């Protein structure tokens, strides 16, 4: 992505999830855990579900050559057809928020999911993440009431987007 007067130069690199969090993203992981200590996404996934061999991916977004955000997708277990990807482990460093890197990361994840022949994407977020919720709604995500078992105050909300439109 081209840099402008108010926008950083953004590019993406695919990583193995565990490798990235054990090396490159140690500082970002610590920041995320401090900011969201009880968030379910702070627990590493139980297997290689974010790997290309399993129709998954994990990307790191760099802004001005520094890791600024990360996130991935996997096959959504709630769709037996295998046509839905679940975007997971999205985090934007506090210093990079508002720069466009979060939006660029979500767009890149959606494009990669389309390339993996997914037709829809879903994502879950805490109801105490109003900035993330606003971004996802701007990007065309719509709430799916009744999907998250722990919906409600302090719970998680589920959003979805059709990738075929």
């Amino acid at each position: 992505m081209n840099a402008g007067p108010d926008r950083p130069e953004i590019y993406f690199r695919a990583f193995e999830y565990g490798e990235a969090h054990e090396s490159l993203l140690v500082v970002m992981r610590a920041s995320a855990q401090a900011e969201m200590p009880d968030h379910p996404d702070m627990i590493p996934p139980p297997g290689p579900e974010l790997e290309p061999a399993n129709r998954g991916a994990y990307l790191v977004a760099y802004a001005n050559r520094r890791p600024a955000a990360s996130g991935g997708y996997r096959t959504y277990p709630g769709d037996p057809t295998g046509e839905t990807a679940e975007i997971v482990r999205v985090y934007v460093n506090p210093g990079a928020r508002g720069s466009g890197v979060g939006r660029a990361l979500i767009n890149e994840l959606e494009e990669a999911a389309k390339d993996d022949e997914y037709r829809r994407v879903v994502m879950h977020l805490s109801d105490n993440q109003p900035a993330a919720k606003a971004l996802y709604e701007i990007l065309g995500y719509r709430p799916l009431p009744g999907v998250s078992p722990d919906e409600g105050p302090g719970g998680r909300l589920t959003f979805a987007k059709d990738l075929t439109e």
Side-chain angles (χ1 to χ4, degrees):
M1 176 178 249
N2 293 334
D6 297 327
R7 296 279 181 211
E9 177 185 351
I10 301 171
Y11 67 95
F12 304 92
R13 191 166 157 217
F15 280 91
E16 190 274 325
Y17 179 80
E19 173 191 331
H21 279 272
E22 293 301 318
S23 58
L24 173 71
L25 301 178
V26 169
V27 172
M28 200 157 77
R29 183 184 69 205
S31 177
Q33 287 173 329
E35 185 176 0
M36 304 179 293
D38 297 325
H39 198 282
D41 281 352
M42 296 296 105
I43 301 166
E49 59 194 27
L50 299 178
E51 297 298 316
N54 296 311
R55 291 182 69 211
Y58 186 75
L59 303 177
V60 174
Y62 291 81
N64 296 328
R65 302 180 188 207
R66 300 185 124 168
S70 61
Y73 65 84
R74 63 185 178 187
T75 300
Y76 180 51
D79 179 3
T81 69
E83 294 182 343
T84 305
E86 179 181 16
I87 294 179
V88 295
R89 311 296 190 271
V90 174
Y91 184 74
V92 179
N93 272 338
R97 293 177 187 162
S99 70
V101 73
R103 177 188 298 247
L105 174 63
I106 298 299
N107 288 335
E108 189 74 10
L109 289 168
E110 289 173 0
E111 287 303 314
K114 279 196 251 184
D115 290 346
D116 276 341
E117 300 181 3
Y118 288 109
R119 299 175 57 81
R120 284 174 295 290
V121 287
V122 297
M123 65 173 61
H124 309 285
L125 67 143
S126 172
D127 64 1
N128 64 358
Q129 294 177 285
K133 180 181 175 201
L135 173 62
Y136 300 145
E137 289 175 338
I138 287 168
L139 293 175
Y141 286 81
R142 298 293 170 247
L144 289 177
V147 175
S148 292
D150 52 354
E151 226 176 323
R156 297 194 9 117
L157 306 171
T158 300
F159 287 78
K161 181 178 180 178
D162 186 340
L163 296 176
T164 63
E165 294 178 356

